[in-house]
Amino acid sequence: NAGVTQTPKFQVLKTGQSMTLQCAQDMNHNSMYWYRQDPGMGLRLIYYSASEGTTDKGEVPNGYNVSRLNKREFSLRLESAAPSQTSVYFCASSAWADGNSPLHFGNGTRLTVT
Amino acid sequence: GQQVMQIPQYQHVQEGEDFTTYCNSSTTLSNIQWYKQRPGGHPVFLIQLVKSGEVKKQKRLTFQFGEAKKNSSLHITATQTTDVGTYFCAGGGNAGNMLTFGGGTRLMVKP
């Protein structure tokens, strides 16, 4: 029972390159999320998917796109990476996006954009 | 929109001292959740409080939810080096809104 699995764990990109962060959960959760965390900072919501087939913007969506591929998988794409996107990215899932269900986080992807 | 403020931002304590972090919401919450993130790790769910005035304990950790359901605290008795990390509160709104995270309190423990 892996919980929430993110790949890759580390990535270095050059400005302008693109990449996709992958996330999968095996808890049969309906809702999935992408957060970013800058050094010494809190968690900021990028995008979320309340249920399969839906996606919504969070607090800081600019420069990102997401795809809810199926109930298990939720990917985050950077089309043209910028140094400001250097951060740690966490995927999370919960039973429902109702503000009551606890979140389960993946181990994170540490992204550096040079 | 709903805002959740957490204080202090940082706290250095000597091992064995107590530690408290406070969480305050601008609106009434349906529940409050607490998470711990070890250095280099990911946030891990600790506990959820739902009822007004609720108090829950996990070993040396005591969690409280205020009577008005707008504030919460986490108190650690006799800190240990294993308590090091950042503690986040997260509040759920009454309209079924998403969880809103506080900024976190980073706890550092000197052995």
Side-chain angles (χ1 to χ4, degrees):
Chain A
N1 194 350
V4 179
T5 303
Q6 286 182 239
T7 56
K9 291 184 179 179
F10 301 93
Q11 185 72 50
V12 179
L13 292 177
K14 294 185 177 179
T15 298
Q17 288 185 319
S18 62
M19 79 161 296
T20 300
L21 281 64
Q22 308 286 354
C23 176
Q25 52 92 10
D26 62 4
M27 294 172 283
N28 200 34
H29 283 167
N30 292 287
S31 305
M32 298 185 74
Y33 313 80
W34 278 104
Y35 287 89
R36 63 176 286 176
Q37 185 177 39
D38 299 318
M41 302 288 285
L43 299 159
R44 292 189 291 172
L45 182 64
I46 305 171
Y47 269 95
Y48 69 100
S49 172
S51 60
E52 187 179 356
T54 70
T55 60
D56 284 286
K57 295 178 180 179
E59 181 186 355
V60 288
N62 291 346
Y64 305 95
N65 284 300
V66 291
S67 295
R68 183 76 183 265
L69 304 169
N70 48 55
K71 190 171 186 179
R72 290 187 64 247
E73 298 173 287
F74 188 39
S75 63
L76 178 72
R77 183 160 178 84
L78 286 70
E79 290 291 351
S80 179
S84 61
Q85 293 179 305
T86 293
S87 190
V88 179
Y89 292 85
F90 290 104
C91 176
S93 70
S94 67
W96 304 100
D98 59 356
N100 289 302
S101 305
L103 269 60
H104 298 256
F105 286 84
N107 289 336
T109 296
R110 282 147 183 83
L111 175 67
T112 302
V113 183
T114 61
Chain B
Q2 181 176 290
Q3 289 187 319
V4 176
M5 307 299 292
Q6 203 172 340
I7 56 170
Q9 194 172 359
Y10 304 95
Q11 184 83 61
H12 285 88
V13 299
Q14 198 73 39
E15 188 173 21
E17 291 181 339
D18 292 357
F19 160 77
T20 304
T21 174
Y22 300 91
C23 187
N24 292 288
S25 170
S26 58
T27 59
T28 303
L29 300 170
S30 62
N31 76 107
I32 192 90
Q33 299 175 20
W34 286 92
Y35 294 76
K36 177 182 179 180
Q37 183 178 24
R38 294 183 187 274
H42 60 280
V44 174
F45 172 73
L46 294 177
I47 206 161
Q48 180 180 37
L49 304 172
V50 178
K51 299 176 184 176
S52 170
E54 189 170 14
V55 178
K56 287 189 176 180
K57 293 191 175 184
Q58 287 181 348
K59 297 183 181 178
R60 294 176 294 103
L61 277 62
T62 302
F63 304 85
Q64 291 189 318
F65 200 11
E67 294 289 341
K69 300 183 75 172
K70 296 181 73 172
N71 57 73
S72 180
S73 64
L74 158 58
H75 179 81
I76 302 178
T77 303
T79 54
Q80 300 176 356
T81 55
T82 53
D83 295 324
V84 164
T86 301
Y87 293 85
F88 292 97
C89 64
N94 281 317
N97 297 333
M98 299 253 305
L99 275 176
T100 301
F101 278 86
T105 296
R106 184 179 172 192
L107 172 63
M108 290 155 279
V109 180
K110 299 176 217 174

